[in-house]
Amino acid sequence: MKHFETGQIKNVAVLGHAGCGKTTLAETMLFEAGEISRRGTVEEGNTVSDYTELEHERGNSVFDSVLHLEWKDHKINIIDTPGIDDFAGEIISALRVADTGIMVLNAESGVEVGSEIVWEYTEKFKTPMIFVVNRCDGEKADFDATVEQAKQRFGDAVTVVQYPLNQGRGFNAIIDVLKMTMYQFSPNGGKPQKLPIPASEKDRAGELHNQLIEAIAVHDETLMEKYFEQGSLDEAEMSQGLKAAMIHHDLFPLFCCSAKQDMGSGRILGFLHDIAPSAQDMPPVSRKSGLTLPCDSNGPTCLFVFKTISEPHLGDMSFFKVYSGEVKSGMELINSETGAAERISQLFVMNGKNRSIVQSLKAGDIGATVKLKSTHTNNTLHEKGKPFHISPIEFPEPRITVALHTDNKADFEKIAQAIHHLSAEDPTLILEQSAELKQMLLSGQGELHLNVAKWKLENLYKLKVDFEKPRISFRETIQRSVQATYRHKSNRAEQGSLPKCYVGRTLLRRNVSTAGIPARAATKSMNWNGAAN
Ligand SMILES: Nc1nc2c(ncn2[C@@H]2O[C@H](COP(=O)(O)OP(=O)(O)OP(=O)(O)O)[C@@H](O)[C@H]2O)c(=O)[nH]1
Ligand SMILES: [Mg+2]
């Protein structure tokens, strides 16, 4: 593999609602770049990205998949993310290291709830975004309605760069209003013919071209002046303005394609190559100290682990982004969390489960290594004597909790150990031994998320476990005191040992659940002593 300088590396995360075509698009991009010679399909379970048994069984992505390809003189790292929000941890990790997000929309169903959820994350990270309206070959494809919805939900910064000439079953041409060209595909897709825009489309293409220029110029005074002077901007000026506007999250260019028919992905790669920002174009990464670290390949070596895979037969594999300097195989780096030294024995670039050995990776690049002793997701590795601690990824709080049950009590220890590994891999999975409930509690992002953990315990660790509702622990909270008078009849009182009537204190109480599920309304009554009955 060639050596790539920081400015020649682009990191993109493919995002969007489940089933919109992210994995198919990533596969098509690998094929177009010549990284693979045959395109796999999700249906056949042979895509580079969805390579795990679980993903084959489910027919959709569950984990981030790190891919890479070469496009002209650049390296494009692609992280294909799962579309289901239960795997928010995977989506957030990918966004943390991506310098551009590709939000894939389904032309047949428009903007879906998953796209809106992902959008909230991208707003937090301020990731430069492009939109890709996929499935333009679908029978019910409605490009205009999808764009309309995208503008409504994500704002007018969504700006059309391409539109399909003939969406639906016969889809085979795209009009590009940045290049002012028509791309026409043969039935097998692939490299298109570049043709002049047909006369029937000249007005629409011209109008969208002007809208694109105005959307670019409005964010740049110099370009705005030029636009007023010349009445237009040339492609180089538009590209320069587009890049700046993308970096500032001011403009989201929109493309269209059919990933399945291999129509349009090459032009998207071309755009990523020409215009998408590299890591050094982006603001420097923040450090725990509040300071920042510029992305400079001549700086001290510093990398950040954003993902860990831990499988019984494979061991641990750590995925990282180089934030500064250059990492070389054989280097010794320090874990800023533990102070432990870690030797980078081998360096890899990945395509799903396939690894290629490389000797070094420069700032801005993404790679993987194995056999780190005590380094996990969210850890920083730095050169000895040049300490940096990159701000960790903030993972979302758990949304659901279950209690673990096993018929074989002796397995609990093994289950706890296995989940410890799973949590190192996925920090949104949290195990807690509740002394109060006398139960082992597992929390995560949703039912599917926890079921995936169960699947892994059963299939990878061969441990049988069942989920149960956590017990509810009732606690009594003294909220206030009240005065009450009542008559107490007592035989002994009659005998003169206690007063016949006195002022007593009553406890008002509130039920509190500790199991992370809403407290149930109190159904129990209390006796005089305050004990539940
Ligand atoms: N007609 C048509 N079908 C497509 C296209 N792209 C993807 N599909 C189909 O849509 C389905 C889902 O595709 P995926 O690539 O798995 O979608 P995804 O977004 O990765 O899905 P998740 O990983 O589950 O979020 C598959 O059956 C694909 O064959 C397309 O451009 N046109
Ligand atoms: Mg997928």
Side-chain angles (χ1 to χ4, degrees):
M1 165 147 258
K2 277 195 277 185
H3 253 66
F4 295 94
E5 295 300 324
T6 301
Q8 294 172 297
I9 301 160
K10 308 284 171 94
N11 300 309
V12 300
V14 188
L15 309 153
H17 186 86
C20 60
K22 300 177 289 297
T23 300
T24 309
L25 178 62
E27 184 81 3
T28 302
M29 285 175 161
L30 291 179
F31 177 73
E32 275 303 298
E35 203 64 44
I36 51 174
S37 53
R38 184 177 174 272
R39 279 196 304 150
T41 66
V42 175
E43 290 79 1
E44 287 171 281
N46 57 357
T47 60
V48 176
S49 186
D50 287 355
Y51 63 87
T52 64
E53 199 187 328
L54 177 63
E55 290 171 316
H56 294 163
E57 254 181 43
R58 292 190 44 83
N60 58 14
S61 309
V62 172
F63 311 106
D64 279 348
S65 207
V66 180
L67 316 167
H68 74 276
L69 56 85
E70 285 178 38
W71 193 259
K72 298 178 189 165
D73 52 348
H74 279 51
K75 180 180 179 211
I76 300 179
N77 293 313
I78 299 171
I79 307 179
D80 176 26
T81 68
I84 301 168
D85 188 39
D86 277 43
F87 308 113
E90 301 283 319
I91 300 168
I92 290 169
S93 302
L95 275 170
R96 178 64 157 70
V97 293
D99 300 306
T100 302
I102 301 181
M103 174 75 95
V104 182
L105 302 176
N106 182 342
E108 294 195 279
S109 42
V111 173
E112 295 162 283
V113 62
S115 336
E116 296 189 57
I117 292 170
V118 171
W119 187 254
E120 282 172 27
Y121 300 134
T122 67
E123 288 272 275
K124 201 171 154 212
F125 286 97
K126 292 272 173 268
T127 315
M129 295 294 291
I130 69 171
F131 283 84
V132 172
V133 179
N134 185 37
R135 299 176 75 127
C136 287
D137 63 307
E139 207 175 335
K140 294 189 207 129
D142 191 340
F143 176 83
D144 290 345
T146 306
V147 172
E148 186 61 35
Q149 286 174 19
K151 281 178 182 276
Q152 269 170 19
R153 313 274 167 84
F154 312 126
D156 283 336
V158 176
T159 311
V160 171
V161 172
Q162 293 183 332
Y163 67 92
L165 178 65
N166 48 356
Q167 64 188 350
R169 282 281 162 84
F171 172 66
N172 73 344
I174 292 172
I175 307 280
D176 191 302
V177 302
L178 173 58
K179 298 267 185 199
M180 285 310 270
T181 299
M182 180 170 82
Y183 297 108
Q184 195 172 63
F185 300 87
S186 70
N188 294 329
K191 206 171 165 107
Q193 256 188 299
K194 287 183 199 167
L195 299 172
I197 293 174
S200 58
E201 292 299 316
K202 283 237 156 81
D203 285 353
R204 185 177 180 197
E207 195 182 314
L208 288 169
H209 179 73
N210 288 339
Q211 281 176 16
L212 178 60
I213 291 178
E214 279 166 27
I216 293 168
V218 79
H219 299 294
D220 184 314
E221 261 179 50
T222 323
L223 290 178
M224 187 56 109
E225 274 172 28
K226 273 196 176 167
Y227 177 45
F228 282 140
E229 275 168 28
Q230 304 164 0
S232 185
L233 294 177
D234 62 28
E235 197 189 319
E237 290 162 340
M238 286 173 82
S239 302
Q240 173 209 327
L242 252 174
K243 182 171 188 164
M246 277 179 72
I247 293 171
H248 294 112
H249 221 230
D250 285 334
L251 198 155
F252 313 120
L254 180 141
F255 297 79
C256 64
C257 74
S258 163
K260 185 122 183 157
Q261 306 297 331
D262 188 8
M263 295 177 185
S265 66
R267 169 71 180 110
I268 298 166
L269 286 170
F271 182 87
L272 294 172
H273 170 276
D274 297 345
I275 296 177
S278 70
Q280 72 182 11
D281 299 318
M282 294 299 292
V285 68
S286 63
R287 286 157 50 190
K288 222 176 165 185
S289 60
L291 301 171
T292 56
L293 178 64
C295 181
D296 174 6
S297 58
N298 296 316
T301 300
C302 181
L303 47 99
F304 176 76
V305 176
F306 67 93
K307 175 181 168 71
T308 319
I309 294 179
S310 164
E311 285 181 15
H313 50 287
L314 281 179
D316 285 359
M317 180 153 220
S318 310
F319 294 78
F320 58 82
K321 180 172 181 181
V322 188
Y323 274 101
S324 170
E326 182 175 8
V327 61
K328 296 181 181 161
S329 60
M331 237 180 184
E332 194 172 83
L333 296 172
I334 307 297
N335 181 319
S336 68
E337 193 82 43
T338 63
E342 294 277 15
R343 208 178 102 79
I344 309 290
S345 55
Q346 280 180 314
L347 282 173
F348 304 102
V349 288
M350 306 296 294
N351 260 332
K353 66 173 188 282
N354 306 321
R355 343 163 162 180
S356 311
I357 293 183
V358 291
Q359 292 312 311
S360 66
L361 294 167
K362 291 209 168 175
D365 212 343
I366 284 175
T369 188
V370 286
K371 295 188 186 139
L372 296 181
K373 288 188 305 245
S374 59
T375 295
H376 305 291
T377 301
N378 257 342
N379 286 173
T380 303
L381 295 176
H382 60 78
E383 245 177 83
K384 201 171 182 181
K386 297 190 176 145
F388 294 102
H389 195 145
I390 290 172
S391 300
I393 302 166
E394 285 174 32
F395 288 103
E397 293 294 319
R399 292 182 244 180
I400 176 172
T401 298
V402 292
L404 302 182
H405 171 81
T406 176
D407 293 333
N408 184 0
K409 293 270 181 294
D411 272 355
F412 264 128
E413 185 61 35
K414 286 188 211 156
I415 292 171
Q417 265 178 17
I419 296 181
H420 177 72
H421 281 289
L422 297 184
S423 302
E425 194 178 324
D426 173 4
T428 58
L429 204 58
I430 296 163
L431 183 71
E432 182 205 343
Q433 177 61 53
S434 168
E436 191 176 12
L437 300 177
K438 298 190 177 50
Q439 281 183 311
M440 207 189 265
L441 303 176
L442 183 65
S443 304
Q445 293 298 306
E447 216 171 302
L448 181 57
H449 185 211
L450 296 183
N451 279 331
V452 165
K454 188 169 187 261
W455 185 95
K456 285 188 183 178
L457 288 172
E458 289 176 358
N459 291 278
L460 305 180
Y461 293 88
K462 309 294 175 211
L463 292 165
K464 175 94 182 75
V465 68
D466 290 312
F467 290 163
E468 290 179 341
K469 266 192 173 177
R471 292 181 195 122
I472 294 171
S473 74
F474 288 102
R475 290 180 189 166
E476 315 300 345
T477 303
I478 299 171
Q479 291 185 309
R480 63 192 160 98
S481 60
V482 291
Q483 302 284 319
T485 307
Y486 76 103
R487 182 175 294 277
H488 180 74
K489 283 190 182 171
S490 155
N491 290 339
R492 279 188 294 160
E494 279 163 18
Q495 289 158 17
S497 59
L498 275 174
K500 270 191 179 165
C501 132
Y502 59 93
V503 173
R505 286 202 142 183
T506 306
L507 301 179
L508 296 181
R509 73 212 175 99
R510 180 162 65 94
N511 280 338
V512 180
S513 153
T514 53
I517 50 176
R520 222 170 43 191
T523 50
K524 299 183 180 184
S525 60
M526 285 167 105
N527 67 13
W528 158 244
N529 296 320
N533 56 27

